[in-house]
Amino acid sequence: MTLEVSQRGKEYLKTAQTLLRAAQTMTDQAIAGQLKALADDYQRRAEKASHVDAAKALARSVTSAEGRMAYMI
């Protein structure tokens, strides 16, 4: 099953990429490591947000289908 990245997930990924680019320009390895860890966190947030958003969309779809079925009965 392939999960499409939600808009919110895309924003998290964009932030992660920005953090990684900043980390690559750092001469202080401690700060670079912290930025990389923060980027990893944002990548996890992107995945979680996409899962949550997909679940919400599915729930809306089911609710909508149930409403249409009730109308037909």
Side-chain angles (χ1 to χ4, degrees), residues 3-16 38-54:
L3 180 67
E4 189 171 320
V5 179
S6 69
Q7 186 60 40
R8 189 165 53 125
K10 288 177 185 176
E11 291 298 321
Y12 280 126
L13 287 175
K14 183 177 170 184
T15 300
L38 191 55
D40 289 343
D41 181 57
Y42 271 86
Q43 288 175 333
R44 283 189 296 276
R45 289 177 189 215
E47 185 176 330
K48 182 176 180 182
S50 292
H51 282 288
V52 168
D53 293 347

Side-chain angles (χ1 to χ4, degrees), residues 8-44:
R8 189 165 53 125
K10 288 177 185 176
E11 291 298 321
Y12 280 126
L13 287 175
K14 183 177 170 184
T15 300
Q17 291 168 347
T18 301
L19 290 167
L20 285 174
R21 278 194 303 276
Q24 291 171 346
T25 65
M26 290 285 151
T27 55
D28 185 326
Q29 292 305 307
I31 293 176
Q34 290 175 339
L35 289 173
K36 288 177 184 177
L38 191 55
D40 289 343
D41 181 57
Y42 271 86
Q43 288 175 333
R44 283 189 296 276

